[in-house]
């Protein structure tokens, strides 16, 4: 029996699952992948822990540009300011990724592919729960 079902210290009130993809690649493919990532994790939770479908909210972000900006700000690579200018100047569907690929001969984009983009491919889960007030001996 899974650990969450063996003890009753808390009651799950809701679960929010959001699947993310990195900005590299085709937007449509990223959109499908991010959605599948969150949906399949929802199915896993429901099947493993018997959580009702109505308690789970599923969403997705096709290209996590905000996450990339956060990583650039935090890690401060030498190309940070130039990359941030490209991100702020060009829209997702107006050549943003192309301009990043061309930035400084492509070196920053290759570095982002290696160091930043893998961190953006993820699932974030928020669980709201209520603690059981019953004492357990």
């Amino acid at each position: 029996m899974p650990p969450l079902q063996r003890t009753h210290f808390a009651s799950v009130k809701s679960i929010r699952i959001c699947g993310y993809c990195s900005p590299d690649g085709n937007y449509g493919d990223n959109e499908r992948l991010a959605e599948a990532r969150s949906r399949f994790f929802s199915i896993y939770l429901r099947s493993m822990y018997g959580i009702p479908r109505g308690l789970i909210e599923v969403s997705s972000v096709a290209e996590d540009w905000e996450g990339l900006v956060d990583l650039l700000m935090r890690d401060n690579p030498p190309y940070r300011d130039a990359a941030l200018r490209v991100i702020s100047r060009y829209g997702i569907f107006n050549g943003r990724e192309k301009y990043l690929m061309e930035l400084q001969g492509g070196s920053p984009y290759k570095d982002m592919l290696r160091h930043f983009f893998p961190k953006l491919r993820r699932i974030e889960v928020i669980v709201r729960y209520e603690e059981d007030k019953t004492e357990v001996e």
Side-chain angles (χ1 to χ4, degrees), residues 4-5 7-15 49-52 55 126-134:
L4 288 178
Q5 292 178 327
T7 58
H8 300 285
F9 298 115
S11 299
V12 173
K13 296 299 177 191
S14 67
I15 299 175
Y49 301 107
I51 297 170
L55 293 182
I126 298 172
V127 179
R128 279 189 50 241
Y129 65 93
E130 185 177 278
E131 289 185 57
D132 183 1
K133 303 297 183 196
T134 309

mmCIF file of all heavy atoms in Angstrom, residues 4-5 7-15 49-52 55 126-134:
data_model
loop_
_atom_site.group_PDB
_atom_site.id
_atom_site.type_symbol
_atom_site.label_atom_id
_atom_site.label_comp_id
_atom_site.label_asym_id
_atom_site.label_seq_id
_atom_site.Cartn_x
_atom_site.Cartn_y
_atom_site.Cartn_z
ATOM 1 N N LEU A 4 1.038 7.212 1.325
ATOM 2 C CA LEU A 4 -0.006 8.208 1.575
ATOM 3 C C LEU A 4 -1.313 7.561 2.008
ATOM 4 O O LEU A 4 -2.152 8.202 2.611
ATOM 5 C CB LEU A 4 -0.258 9.060 0.326
ATOM 6 C CG LEU A 4 0.830 10.051 -0.038
ATOM 7 C CD1 LEU A 4 0.460 10.792 -1.319
ATOM 8 C CD2 LEU A 4 1.077 11.042 1.073
ATOM 9 N N GLN A 5 -1.487 6.290 1.701
ATOM 10 C CA GLN A 5 -2.718 5.610 2.073
ATOM 11 C C GLN A 5 -2.599 4.873 3.403
ATOM 12 O O GLN A 5 -3.590 4.456 3.964
ATOM 13 C CB GLN A 5 -3.132 4.631 0.975
ATOM 14 C CG GLN A 5 -3.549 5.355 -0.298
ATOM 15 C CD GLN A 5 -3.905 4.391 -1.397
ATOM 16 O OE1 GLN A 5 -3.340 3.308 -1.496
ATOM 17 N NE2 GLN A 5 -4.835 4.791 -2.237
ATOM 18 N N THR A 7 -1.324 6.086 6.332
ATOM 19 C CA THR A 7 -1.584 6.956 7.476
ATOM 20 C C THR A 7 -2.549 8.050 7.060
ATOM 21 O O THR A 7 -2.662 8.384 5.897
ATOM 22 C CB THR A 7 -0.276 7.606 7.968
ATOM 23 O OG1 THR A 7 0.293 8.330 6.886
ATOM 24 C CG2 THR A 7 0.706 6.574 8.482
ATOM 25 N N HIS A 8 -3.235 8.584 8.024
ATOM 26 C CA HIS A 8 -4.242 9.604 7.739
ATOM 27 C C HIS A 8 -3.956 10.849 8.557
ATOM 28 O O HIS A 8 -4.753 11.249 9.389
ATOM 29 C CB HIS A 8 -5.640 9.049 8.020
ATOM 30 C CG HIS A 8 -5.958 7.857 7.184
ATOM 31 N ND1 HIS A 8 -6.274 7.960 5.855
ATOM 32 C CD2 HIS A 8 -5.967 6.535 7.470
ATOM 33 C CE1 HIS A 8 -6.479 6.758 5.354
ATOM 34 N NE2 HIS A 8 -6.299 5.875 6.320
ATOM 35 N N PHE A 9 -2.799 11.456 8.336
ATOM 36 C CA PHE A 9 -2.420 12.665 9.053
ATOM 37 C C PHE A 9 -2.942 13.914 8.359
ATOM 38 O O PHE A 9 -2.951 14.983 8.935
ATOM 39 C CB PHE A 9 -0.900 12.766 9.202
ATOM 40 C CG PHE A 9 -0.327 11.636 10.003
ATOM 41 C CD1 PHE A 9 0.532 10.731 9.422
ATOM 42 C CD2 PHE A 9 -0.652 11.487 11.344
ATOM 43 C CE1 PHE A 9 1.064 9.693 10.158
ATOM 44 C CE2 PHE A 9 -0.125 10.446 12.081
ATOM 45 C CZ PHE A 9 0.737 9.543 11.494
ATOM 46 N N ALA A 10 -3.366 13.782 7.110
ATOM 47 C CA ALA A 10 -3.829 14.939 6.363
ATOM 48 C C ALA A 10 -4.838 14.505 5.308
ATOM 49 O O ALA A 10 -4.828 13.366 4.851
ATOM 50 C CB ALA A 10 -2.658 15.647 5.692
ATOM 51 N N SER A 11 -5.712 15.422 4.939
ATOM 52 C CA SER A 11 -6.675 15.194 3.867
ATOM 53 C C SER A 11 -6.336 16.137 2.722
ATOM 54 O O SER A 11 -6.214 17.342 2.919
ATOM 55 C CB SER A 11 -8.092 15.507 4.350
ATOM 56 O OG SER A 11 -8.442 14.682 5.425
ATOM 57 N N VAL A 12 -6.199 15.585 1.531
ATOM 58 C CA VAL A 12 -5.907 16.391 0.356
ATOM 59 C C VAL A 12 -7.171 17.156 -0.038
ATOM 60 O O VAL A 12 -8.242 16.579 -0.184
ATOM 61 C CB VAL A 12 -5.427 15.508 -0.819
ATOM 62 C CG1 VAL A 12 -5.277 16.325 -2.087
ATOM 63 C CG2 VAL A 12 -4.122 14.815 -0.461
ATOM 64 N N LYS A 13 -7.031 18.477 -0.187
ATOM 65 C CA LYS A 13 -8.150 19.330 -0.598
ATOM 66 C C LYS A 13 -8.097 19.628 -2.095
ATOM 67 O O LYS A 13 -9.123 19.700 -2.749
ATOM 68 C CB LYS A 13 -8.147 20.647 0.195
ATOM 69 C CG LYS A 13 -8.370 20.448 1.680
ATOM 70 C CD LYS A 13 -9.716 19.809 1.906
ATOM 71 C CE LYS A 13 -9.954 19.531 3.370
ATOM 72 N NZ LYS A 13 -11.120 18.692 3.582
ATOM 73 N N SER A 14 -6.899 19.840 -2.619
ATOM 74 C CA SER A 14 -6.742 20.069 -4.057
ATOM 75 C C SER A 14 -5.279 19.897 -4.440
ATOM 76 O O SER A 14 -4.385 20.043 -3.603
ATOM 77 C CB SER A 14 -7.224 21.463 -4.462
ATOM 78 O OG SER A 14 -6.384 22.450 -3.920
ATOM 79 N N ILE A 15 -5.075 19.585 -5.707
ATOM 80 C CA ILE A 15 -3.727 19.441 -6.263
ATOM 81 C C ILE A 15 -3.703 20.198 -7.580
ATOM 82 O O ILE A 15 -4.563 19.995 -8.434
ATOM 83 C CB ILE A 15 -3.354 17.966 -6.492
ATOM 84 C CG1 ILE A 15 -3.374 17.201 -5.169
ATOM 85 C CG2 ILE A 15 -1.988 17.858 -7.167
ATOM 86 C CD1 ILE A 15 -3.132 15.707 -5.320
ATOM 87 N N TYR A 49 -2.888 6.767 -5.877
ATOM 88 C CA TYR A 49 -3.371 7.222 -4.572
ATOM 89 C C TYR A 49 -4.884 7.377 -4.493
ATOM 90 O O TYR A 49 -5.398 7.797 -3.462
ATOM 91 C CB TYR A 49 -2.682 8.547 -4.201
ATOM 92 C CG TYR A 49 -1.191 8.394 -4.143
ATOM 93 C CD1 TYR A 49 -0.384 8.927 -5.138
ATOM 94 C CD2 TYR A 49 -0.577 7.683 -3.120
ATOM 95 C CE1 TYR A 49 0.992 8.771 -5.108
ATOM 96 C CE2 TYR A 49 0.787 7.509 -3.077
ATOM 97 C CZ TYR A 49 1.568 8.063 -4.081
ATOM 98 O OH TYR A 49 2.928 7.899 -4.043
ATOM 99 N N GLY A 50 -5.587 7.053 -5.549
ATOM 100 C CA GLY A 50 -7.038 7.119 -5.526
ATOM 101 C C GLY A 50 -7.595 8.522 -5.342
ATOM 102 O O GLY A 50 -8.682 8.702 -4.803
ATOM 103 N N ILE A 51 -6.866 9.507 -5.789
ATOM 104 C CA ILE A 51 -7.311 10.901 -5.655
ATOM 105 C C ILE A 51 -8.383 11.167 -6.708
ATOM 106 O O ILE A 51 -8.168 10.912 -7.890
ATOM 107 C CB ILE A 51 -6.119 11.868 -5.803
ATOM 108 C CG1 ILE A 51 -5.118 11.613 -4.678
ATOM 109 C CG2 ILE A 51 -6.586 13.313 -5.804
ATOM 110 C CD1 ILE A 51 -3.804 12.310 -4.841
ATOM 111 N N PRO A 52 -9.531 11.667 -6.288
ATOM 112 C CA PRO A 52 -10.601 11.944 -7.259
ATOM 113 C C PRO A 52 -10.177 12.982 -8.302
ATOM 114 O O PRO A 52 -9.474 13.947 -7.987
ATOM 115 C CB PRO A 52 -11.737 12.501 -6.391
ATOM 116 C CG PRO A 52 -11.442 12.043 -5.007
ATOM 117 C CD PRO A 52 -9.947 11.943 -4.922
ATOM 118 N N LEU A 55 -10.396 16.803 -7.693
ATOM 119 C CA LEU A 55 -9.456 17.498 -6.798
ATOM 120 C C LEU A 55 -8.189 17.949 -7.530
ATOM 121 O O LEU A 55 -7.380 18.679 -6.957
ATOM 122 C CB LEU A 55 -9.056 16.597 -5.630
ATOM 123 C CG LEU A 55 -10.148 16.233 -4.625
ATOM 124 C CD1 LEU A 55 -9.567 15.370 -3.513
ATOM 125 C CD2 LEU A 55 -10.787 17.485 -4.052
ATOM 126 N N ILE A 126 1.395 21.700 -6.629
ATOM 127 C CA ILE A 126 1.005 22.385 -5.400
ATOM 128 C C ILE A 126 -0.124 21.577 -4.780
ATOM 129 O O ILE A 126 -1.154 21.330 -5.433
ATOM 130 C CB ILE A 126 0.540 23.831 -5.674
ATOM 131 C CG1 ILE A 126 1.687 24.636 -6.280
ATOM 132 C CG2 ILE A 126 0.015 24.481 -4.395
ATOM 133 C CD1 ILE A 126 1.288 26.019 -6.759
ATOM 134 N N VAL A 127 0.065 21.161 -3.542
ATOM 135 C CA VAL A 127 -0.932 20.364 -2.836
ATOM 136 C C VAL A 127 -1.503 21.181 -1.691
ATOM 137 O O VAL A 127 -0.757 21.665 -0.842
ATOM 138 C CB VAL A 127 -0.307 19.053 -2.278
ATOM 139 C CG1 VAL A 127 -1.351 18.240 -1.525
ATOM 140 C CG2 VAL A 127 0.322 18.237 -3.397
ATOM 141 N N ARG A 128 -2.805 21.345 -1.689
ATOM 142 C CA ARG A 128 -3.504 21.957 -0.558
ATOM 143 C C ARG A 128 -4.067 20.821 0.282
ATOM 144 O O ARG A 128 -4.698 19.912 -0.263
ATOM 145 C CB ARG A 128 -4.656 22.850 -1.035
ATOM 146 C CG ARG A 128 -4.216 24.224 -1.480
ATOM 147 C CD ARG A 128 -5.381 25.177 -1.758
ATOM 148 N NE ARG A 128 -6.345 25.228 -0.673
ATOM 149 C CZ ARG A 128 -7.630 24.889 -0.779
ATOM 150 N NH1 ARG A 128 -8.131 24.450 -1.904
ATOM 151 N NH2 ARG A 128 -8.435 24.990 0.255
ATOM 152 N N TYR A 129 -3.820 20.874 1.576
ATOM 153 C CA TYR A 129 -4.293 19.797 2.440
ATOM 154 C C TYR A 129 -4.745 20.364 3.780
ATOM 155 O O TYR A 129 -4.459 21.498 4.132
ATOM 156 C CB TYR A 129 -3.190 18.753 2.644
ATOM 157 C CG TYR A 129 -1.990 19.287 3.382
ATOM 158 C CD1 TYR A 129 -1.889 19.174 4.765
ATOM 159 C CD2 TYR A 129 -0.954 19.910 2.691
ATOM 160 C CE1 TYR A 129 -0.786 19.683 5.450
ATOM 161 C CE2 TYR A 129 0.139 20.422 3.366
ATOM 162 C CZ TYR A 129 0.228 20.292 4.735
ATOM 163 O OH TYR A 129 1.301 20.803 5.407
ATOM 164 N N GLU A 130 -5.462 19.531 4.480
ATOM 165 C CA GLU A 130 -5.916 19.882 5.828
ATOM 166 C C GLU A 130 -5.373 18.832 6.767
ATOM 167 O O GLU A 130 -5.525 17.626 6.514
ATOM 168 C CB GLU A 130 -7.442 19.905 5.864
ATOM 169 C CG GLU A 130 -8.016 20.362 7.176
ATOM 170 C CD GLU A 130 -9.535 20.432 7.094
ATOM 171 O OE1 GLU A 130 -10.023 21.451 6.582
ATOM 172 O OE2 GLU A 130 -10.177 19.467 7.524
ATOM 173 N N GLU A 131 -4.719 19.270 7.832
ATOM 174 C CA GLU A 131 -4.170 18.322 8.803
ATOM 175 C C GLU A 131 -5.280 17.684 9.606
ATOM 176 O O GLU A 131 -6.257 18.329 9.949
ATOM 177 C CB GLU A 131 -3.215 19.041 9.756
ATOM 178 C CG GLU A 131 -1.926 19.460 9.097
ATOM 179 C CD GLU A 131 -0.951 20.055 10.087
ATOM 180 O OE1 GLU A 131 -0.628 19.344 11.065
ATOM 181 O OE2 GLU A 131 -0.558 21.195 9.879
ATOM 182 N N ASP A 132 -5.085 16.388 9.903
ATOM 183 C CA ASP A 132 -6.021 15.677 10.755
ATOM 184 C C ASP A 132 -5.691 16.055 12.190
ATOM 185 O O ASP A 132 -4.554 15.902 12.633
ATOM 186 C CB ASP A 132 -5.862 14.178 10.530
ATOM 187 C CG ASP A 132 -6.854 13.342 11.325
ATOM 188 O OD1 ASP A 132 -7.691 13.930 12.041
ATOM 189 O OD2 ASP A 132 -6.793 12.120 11.207
ATOM 190 N N LYS A 133 -6.670 16.530 12.922
ATOM 191 C CA LYS A 133 -6.447 16.988 14.304
ATOM 192 C C LYS A 133 -6.481 15.839 15.307
ATOM 193 O O LYS A 133 -6.192 16.021 16.473
ATOM 194 C CB LYS A 133 -7.501 18.028 14.695
ATOM 195 C CG LYS A 133 -7.540 19.238 13.772
ATOM 196 C CD LYS A 133 -6.253 19.996 13.827
ATOM 197 C CE LYS A 133 -6.392 21.231 12.941
ATOM 198 N NZ LYS A 133 -5.182 21.848 12.598
ATOM 199 N N THR A 134 -6.806 14.636 14.866
ATOM 200 C CA THR A 134 -6.865 13.492 15.761
ATOM 201 C C THR A 134 -5.453 13.083 16.169
ATOM 202 O O THR A 134 -4.570 12.960 15.329
ATOM 203 C CB THR A 134 -7.539 12.287 15.041
ATOM 204 O OG1 THR A 134 -8.765 12.737 14.492
ATOM 205 C CG2 THR A 134 -7.751 11.152 16.002
#
